[in-house]
Amino acid sequence: MAWRGYLLILLINLGCAVSELSMRFIFIIEVHDIDLPEKIGSAMKKAEEAAPGTAFSEDIVQLDRENEEECYRKLCSALARGASIIVDLSWHPWEMAEQIAEATGLPILRTVLDSQQLVGALDGYFESRNATDAAFLLETESDVDRTLYELLGRSNVRVWVHAALTKDSADALKTMRPEPNFFVIVGDGGFVEDTYKRAVTEKLVRRNYRWNLVITDYTASSFNLGHLILPTVILHVDPTECCKLQDLEPGCTCPEEFQRKQYILNKLFKLIVDAFKKNPSMSSPSPIRCDDSVNDRSEAGRIFREMIVADTSNEDSLFYWNDQRSSLLLRSRFLLSIYKPDAGLEIVANWSAAEDYKLLPNVVLEPLKNFYRIGTAPSIPWTMQRHDPENGELMIDDEGEPLYHGYCIDLIEKLSQIMEFDYEIVTPKTGGFGQKHPNGSWDGLVGDLMRGETDIAVAALVMTAEREEVIDFVPPYYEQTGIMIAIRKPIRKTSLFKFMTVLRTEVWLSIVAALVLTGVMIWLLEKYSPYSARNNPEAYPYPCREFTLKESFWFALTSFTPQGGGEAPKALSGRTLVAAYWLFVVLMLATFTANLAAFLTVERMQTPVSSLKQLASQSRINYTVVEGSTVHQYFINMKFAEDTLYRMWKEITLNATSDQAQYRVWDYPIQEQYGHILLAINASGPVPDAETGFRQVNEHTEADFAFIHDSAEIKYAVTQNCNLTEVGEVFAEQPYALAVQQGSRLQEQLSRALLQLQKERFLEQLTAKYWNETARLSCPDADESEGITLESLGGVFIATLFGLGLAMVTLAWEVFYYKRKEKNKIHAIEATIEAAKHKNEASPKQMASKMAHGVAILRKRDKVKDIGRNVTIGDTFKPAAGKGGVSFISVYPKNDFRP
């Protein structure tokens, strides 16, 4: 019976030997994953403890992408020692390992242990947002490489990846062109929070929904949202995954330092071991030669994959099989949230790694606008720096950049509303609108577009053939620009007695002399002519004007007025003199009136020149242009054209084979004005900018300096400065247009937007806004064309007021003189009465006798002087009784009455 016991023991030992599972793993890891071998060892040890009777061995092949041949030899050496399965833990499938597995039938299993799945989930969100580029900020260089391998070849998003956020990387992000539309921070909660705060400090966080925070650990619930200053997207894994990895119930507390990679490896080993236990024959490690495609395990890989797919087909399983990537991946559940500072955190999407990205029902995300860097160059009134209306200081934004306003700024704002985009205004660091250098490079707006510094150029940019070679233009938005001349209105020498300057001093003196001489002659003729009214009273029995010397001068003076001189002399000689004098007065008045009208008309003429041709043909007025501007280049080109034409004409005329009779002219038939203009410009010196040019024009008060510049800017300056005026017509007209990078899709969109603005008459409204001619009405001389100003004829009113004042003074003197005379009369009468009373020289009868005697003397004198005239004394007229009688009223004092 003893032998039976030994047999039983032998059978038991044999069964144990048969049931023992032996497996050999070949692990492929990246050379940068220096911590992964230790984690693999820990996972294998735990798998052995969980599955007694199993024996594991492994070979780890560290994949160096820069030396794949050496890594291939290491892989073949490991396979030669025997292998049950290849576990690829690299960041990207290694084609050499896949080729060996496919050729030999050896099972191969790929999986990822880090944040690749989260990055892939974010890419699904980016695709729904039509993202074209994104900048990723990660913690280490290994994370950078891992992310690049995940996105390259799988994502349509152009990426920029950098480890952490330093001062240099922040500056690189600021200067990146085109600027990324999205920014992504990938890492654990602490790294994400610190990096975001640094981004805020570096002023990178400027746009809504553009910053995306990807939290790779399970600390999203404790993430400090108070640091988020703008609406932000947050992506993380459902924290219940942590509990599932630990085989705990949902709602468990995930450790702060949770080793997620280790737990995934543990679960992965358990899944592989369980699959091999179902078919132990596949687990036996057998040597494999890389150069030998003949083997007996051609179906092992397919069978193993089918078992893995079957084991992970349940939606509650931790892993799932991804056919598209031929990988076994963690069945994570992703949570996408939108945080708004004013509304809090809102979950908008919740989907599994085995599913495509999708929003929750009834959730609609706010549309994201495209962002463009729009280049412009300072130019009046297109793009002007904004100044504080109170103190006049330059206004700047939060980043220290100047704020702008003007035609182009309003146009940009309107285009952003129509095309629904956000923008940033950028001015060139070098140059203006764009000049081509000898080496073929460009500066200014054109150079920025070529280098991708800007997406659109909205400025007073002229379309030229040279620029068209390197950038694309949109149809013009302003077609009436050209070149014009600006000059200052000459300052009038105002004088209240300017009307006196119509005639020269000697003419005024001659008029005064003629007036004095005429007055004297009228007096002499009236005095000595026997036919005058004075010397011939019988011919003129009615009262006539007595031409004393005073009356003669008054007649001569009043003859200059429309009222006339009044009654003229009666003698023929006097009338002849007056007729000649009246002819003189009429001619003088007509001459003065005509000269005054012409004088005032010429005075209102503001510009001494009226065209470019007149400006070029004179030497009194200097003129200039902005150095290096399109206007300056225009005159240079025209001078070159003149020289070329002259050279060709000279060659033709001097050619002996040509018919000399056809070219026999006395002078060169083409006018050489542009050469003279360019010489005058160089003599005056081109100015650095338009502001300097307008200032120089304004400083020359004698209107002896002109500025040749863009017509639109000159017209605007004229509406803003009452001293300036435009001269002549616009010449060399060219259109202004928007520009984009060559081949940009924005060209068509901008064309449609401009067409819509033209239909809405928006461009006309902008023109009326910035070239407002009604602003000229506020100028002091805005109404000159409607009449003569008071300054020109103020002396006339002053003379009238002076006459008024003199008349009032004369009136006062007359009143004073009259009262004094009357007072003296009273005093004389009083003295006479007192003397008569005291001396008693005569009685009242005697006084009456004396009075009668005096009247008789008076009567006798009047008869001698004027025979036939009656004298009446009294308060009313009473004819005298009888021929030569005298009527009078007794004025003897009665009683004691005294006047």
Side-chain angles (χ1 to χ4, degrees):
M1 297 296 291
W3 62 272
R4 292 182 178 178
Y6 287 113
L7 182 60
L8 180 61
I9 293 174
L10 180 63
L11 292 173
I12 293 173
N13 290 335
L14 183 61
C16 291
V18 172
S19 64
E20 182 176 342
L21 187 64
S22 178
M23 299 177 60
R24 181 174 178 77
F25 294 86
I26 305 297
F27 292 98
I28 301 176
I29 67 173
E30 297 286 342
V31 69
H32 302 289
D33 285 337
I34 57 178
D35 62 332
L36 198 53
E38 182 182 355
K39 289 180 170 55
I40 291 174
S42 299
M44 292 184 64
K45 183 178 180 180
K46 188 169 183 177
E48 289 179 347
E49 294 174 354
T54 59
F56 298 144
S57 61
E58 83 281 350
D59 261 328
I60 298 178
V61 179
Q62 292 185 331
L63 177 59
D64 185 359
R65 303 279 180 176
E66 297 180 357
N67 192 7
E68 290 193 7
E69 293 296 332
E70 179 64 25
C71 297
Y72 180 72
R73 286 193 293 270
K74 291 180 180 180
L75 175 61
C76 291
S77 176
L79 292 174
R81 291 191 291 271
S84 303
I85 186 173
I86 297 177
V87 181
D88 188 357
L89 302 178
S90 63
W91 300 336
H92 190 267
W94 188 22
E95 293 181 0
M96 293 182 176
E98 291 182 341
Q99 291 172 0
I100 292 175
E102 184 178 357
T104 61
L106 182 66
I108 184 171
L109 183 66
R110 266 197 52 76
T111 191
V112 294
L113 303 176
D114 293 283
S115 59
Q116 290 96 321
Q117 285 184 276
L118 272 170
V119 173
L122 183 68
D123 184 62
Y125 164 72
F126 280 167
E127 186 176 354
S128 70
R129 287 293 205 175
N130 296 322
T132 57
D133 49 61
F136 282 79
L137 299 172
L138 300 110
E139 191 167 2
T140 63
E141 293 292 342
S142 297
D143 295 330
V144 170
D145 295 338
R146 187 183 303 112
T147 302
L148 285 174
Y149 278 116
E150 174 65 25
L151 292 176
L152 294 178
R154 294 192 179 97
S155 174
N156 295 323
V157 177
R158 182 174 59 89
V159 297
W160 180 90
V161 185
H162 198 275
L165 183 63
T166 62
K167 179 66 176 176
D168 293 338
S169 61
D171 292 339
L173 277 174
K174 291 178 182 178
T175 58
M176 183 181 296
R177 300 296 177 265
E179 183 176 347
N181 281 324
F182 293 92
F183 297 85
V184 184
I185 304 176
V186 182
D188 57 49
F191 170 77
V192 170
E193 183 175 339
D194 294 341
T195 306
Y196 182 85
K197 288 191 291 186
R198 181 63 182 270
V200 173
T201 303
E202 295 293 339
K203 297 181 179 179
L204 289 172
V205 183
R206 297 180 298 173
R207 298 159 57 200
N208 296 341
Y209 305 108
R210 300 296 177 170
W211 280 82
N212 303 267
L213 311 182
V214 180
I215 303 175
T216 57
D217 56 10
Y218 302 105
T219 61
S221 59
S222 60
F223 186 81
N224 187 0
L225 301 174
H227 297 298
L228 307 181
I229 60 174
L230 292 177
T232 308
V233 178
I234 301 175
L235 176 65
H236 61 91
V237 178
D238 192 338
T240 58
E241 182 181 278
C242 178
C243 301
K244 188 178 289 187
L245 288 172
Q246 299 178 84
D247 294 326
L248 300 176
E249 294 295 328
C252 70
T253 302
C254 192
E256 186 173 342
E257 298 294 334
F258 183 72
Q259 299 294 326
R260 181 174 182 269
K261 191 182 297 186
Q262 183 67 65
Y263 276 92
I264 295 175
L265 282 173
N266 294 342
K267 293 295 183 180
L268 180 65
F269 270 94
K270 183 178 182 303
L271 181 65
I272 295 174
V273 170
D274 291 343
F276 275 121
K277 282 183 178 180
K278 295 177 183 179
N279 193 347
S281 60
M282 292 190 307
S283 64
S284 301
S286 58
I288 297 175
R289 295 178 58 185
C290 295
D291 54 354
D292 186 5
S293 60
V294 179
N295 62 84
D296 55 355
R297 302 182 58 174
S298 59
E299 298 293 323
R302 181 183 62 79
I303 295 173
F304 178 79
R305 185 167 58 251
E306 290 176 354
M307 289 190 299
I308 291 295
V309 171
D311 291 342
T312 59
S313 60
N314 188 355
E315 292 186 358
D316 294 333
S317 62
L318 186 63
F319 294 93
Y320 77 100
W321 180 261
N322 189 312
D323 284 326
Q324 185 178 1
R325 302 178 65 170
S326 297
S327 302
L328 184 68
L329 303 177
L330 200 64
R331 194 187 295 272
S332 300
R333 178 157 290 277
F334 307 117
L335 300 179
L336 185 72
S337 305
I338 300 293
Y339 173 77
K340 299 179 182 178
D342 56 346
L345 189 67
E346 177 188 4
I347 298 177
V348 296
N350 184 348
W351 76 102
S352 170
E355 303 170 343
D356 293 333
Y357 163 80
K358 59 183 178 181
L359 292 172
L360 292 175
N362 301 324
V363 173
V364 178
L365 295 181
E366 182 177 338
L368 293 181
K369 297 181 179 180
N370 292 324
F371 178 80
Y372 301 124
R373 290 172 57 86
I374 300 181
T376 188
S379 177
I380 300 173
W382 309 99
T383 303
M384 303 176 288
Q385 293 186 351
R386 190 181 296 275
H387 292 80
D388 193 325
E390 296 182 357
N391 51 29
E393 295 182 356
L394 182 66
M395 299 177 66
I396 58 176
D397 56 16
D398 296 336
E399 298 182 4
E401 297 295 330
L403 298 177
Y404 295 95
H405 69 105
Y407 186 104
C408 289
I409 306 303
D410 292 348
L411 180 58
I412 292 171
E413 179 63 26
K414 189 66 176 180
L415 289 174
S416 69
Q417 296 174 7
I418 295 176
M419 299 173 60
E420 296 182 350
F421 65 81
D422 292 327
Y423 63 90
E424 176 187 4
I425 294 178
V426 181
T427 54
K429 293 182 174 57
T430 58
F433 296 100
Q435 293 292 332
K436 188 177 182 180
H437 298 296
N439 59 0
S441 63
W442 288 76
D443 60 9
L445 292 178
V446 178
D448 288 348
L449 278 178
M450 288 179 57
R451 294 185 296 270
E453 294 286 336
T454 55
D455 303 298
I456 310 172
V458 182
L461 189 62
V462 177
M463 298 176 66
T464 63
E466 283 184 319
R467 292 171 178 174
E468 186 72 30
E469 294 177 356
V470 294
I471 60 176
D472 288 340
F473 282 100
V474 179
Y477 67 91
Y478 192 85
E479 300 182 357
Q480 301 300 324
T481 187
I483 304 175
M484 186 174 278
I485 305 169
I487 198 169
R488 182 186 171 115
K489 295 178 182 179
I491 296 179
R492 298 190 201 174
K493 297 179 180 179
T494 58
S495 174
L496 295 177
F497 295 93
K498 184 172 287 187
F499 66 93
M500 296 292 293
T501 60
V502 174
L503 301 178
R504 293 181 177 273
T505 305
E506 56 269 24
V507 177
W508 286 114
L509 294 177
S510 299
I511 293 174
V512 173
L515 187 149
V516 172
L517 180 61
T518 301
V520 173
M521 289 299 298
I522 291 174
W523 173 69
L524 290 176
L525 292 176
E526 180 71 13
K527 183 175 181 181
Y528 296 105
S529 174
Y531 297 101
S532 64
R534 175 188 299 180
N535 299 327
N536 190 13
E538 291 83 2
Y540 306 100
Y542 50 85
C544 296
R545 184 175 185 179
E546 185 178 354
F547 281 90
T548 61
L549 186 61
K550 182 181 70 172
E551 283 295 321
S552 299
F553 281 121
W554 183 251
F555 175 84
L557 181 62
T558 54
S559 294
F560 278 94
T561 64
Q563 182 68 26
E567 185 179 354
K570 304 301 182 181
L572 181 61
S573 58
R575 292 184 175 184
T576 302
L577 175 64
V578 169
Y581 180 69
W582 281 348
L583 178 62
F584 166 77
V585 168
V586 170
L587 293 177
M588 284 295 104
L589 289 177
T591 302
F592 179 81
T593 303
N595 286 349
L596 179 62
F599 181 80
L600 295 177
T601 302
V602 172
E603 183 187 29
R604 289 203 299 271
M605 294 176 61
Q606 299 296 324
T607 56
V609 294
S610 59
S611 65
L612 181 66
K613 183 177 180 180
Q614 290 185 5
L615 189 65
S617 62
Q618 55 81 47
S619 58
R620 186 183 73 85
I621 301 176
N622 297 323
Y623 44 91
T624 187
V625 297
V626 175
E627 186 174 13
S629 63
T630 55
V631 178
H632 194 188
Q633 190 63 42
Y634 168 79
F635 287 113
I636 294 174
N637 295 344
M638 293 300 290
K639 168 67 166 55
F640 176 76
E642 283 183 344
D643 294 342
T644 303
L645 291 174
Y646 178 77
R647 185 175 63 254
M648 295 175 62
W649 177 80
K650 184 172 66 174
E651 291 175 357
I652 293 174
T653 55
L654 297 180
N655 190 353
T657 61
S658 62
D659 187 0
Q660 298 294 325
Q662 295 180 2
Y663 305 102
R664 189 177 295 119
V665 294
W666 296 106
D667 199 0
Y668 178 50
I670 299 178
Q671 211 170 25
E672 297 181 280
Q673 66 175 2
Y674 291 99
H676 299 301
I677 291 174
L678 196 58
L679 289 175
I681 289 173
N682 294 332
S684 299
V687 294
D689 50 43
E691 183 179 357
T692 305
F694 286 120
R695 185 176 66 251
Q696 290 187 8
V697 171
N698 195 48
E699 290 173 353
H700 287 73
T701 58
E702 298 296 329
D704 55 355
F705 192 84
F707 181 46
I708 308 175
H709 194 54
D710 177 76
S711 62
E713 189 167 347
I714 284 180
K715 289 179 179 178
Y716 178 80
V718 168
T719 61
Q720 301 297 312
N721 190 340
C722 297
N723 295 329
L724 302 181
T725 185
E726 55 196 53
V727 173
E729 299 293 333
V730 180
F731 59 94
E733 292 187 355
Q734 286 181 307
Y736 284 158
L738 311 185
V740 296
Q741 300 173 15
Q742 278 194 336
S744 174
R745 56 184 174 81
L746 292 173
Q747 185 180 25
E748 183 178 353
Q749 298 178 19
L750 287 170
S751 298
R752 289 196 299 265
L754 284 177
L755 181 59
Q756 180 178 342
L757 292 181
Q758 288 178 349
K759 292 180 180 179
E760 297 175 357
R761 306 178 69 88
F762 177 76
L763 299 179
E764 294 182 12
Q765 295 174 13
L766 281 185
T767 302
K769 175 181 178 181
Y770 288 99
W771 287 274
N772 186 7
E773 294 294 337
T774 58
R776 298 286 295 178
L777 298 178
S778 61
C779 295
D781 55 351
D783 58 346
E784 283 184 353
S785 60
E786 298 181 4
I788 301 172
T789 61
L790 183 62
E791 294 179 352
S792 300
L793 297 177
V796 177
F797 297 94
I798 292 178
T800 304
L801 294 176
F802 176 77
L804 230 122
L806 184 61
M808 296 303 295
V809 172
T810 305
L811 174 63
W813 178 82
E814 288 178 344
V815 171
F816 172 76
Y817 177 77
Y818 175 77
K819 288 185 176 181
R820 185 169 182 178
K821 185 177 179 181
E822 291 296 322
K823 187 176 181 180
N824 290 337
K825 244 187 225 185
I826 294 172
H827 287 318
I829 293 173
E830 288 180 348
T832 302
I833 294 174
E834 289 295 330
K837 185 181 291 186
H838 290 292
K839 294 180 181 180
N840 199 13
E841 294 179 349
S843 62
K845 292 183 178 181
Q846 292 176 338
M847 292 179 64
S849 176
K850 288 182 178 181
M851 184 65 71
H853 178 71
V855 171
I857 295 174
L858 180 60
R859 179 181 176 188
K860 182 179 180 181
R861 186 185 63 185
D862 290 338
K863 283 184 177 181
V864 174
K865 184 178 179 180
D866 191 5
I867 302 174
R869 292 188 178 181
N870 298 327
V871 177
T872 301
I873 299 177
D875 54 354
T876 59
F877 175 74
K878 296 180 180 180
K883 186 175 181 181
V886 176
S887 300
F888 66 94
I889 297 175
S890 177
V891 294
Y892 295 119
K894 295 181 179 180
N895 301 325
D896 295 333
F897 171 77
R898 298 203 179 162

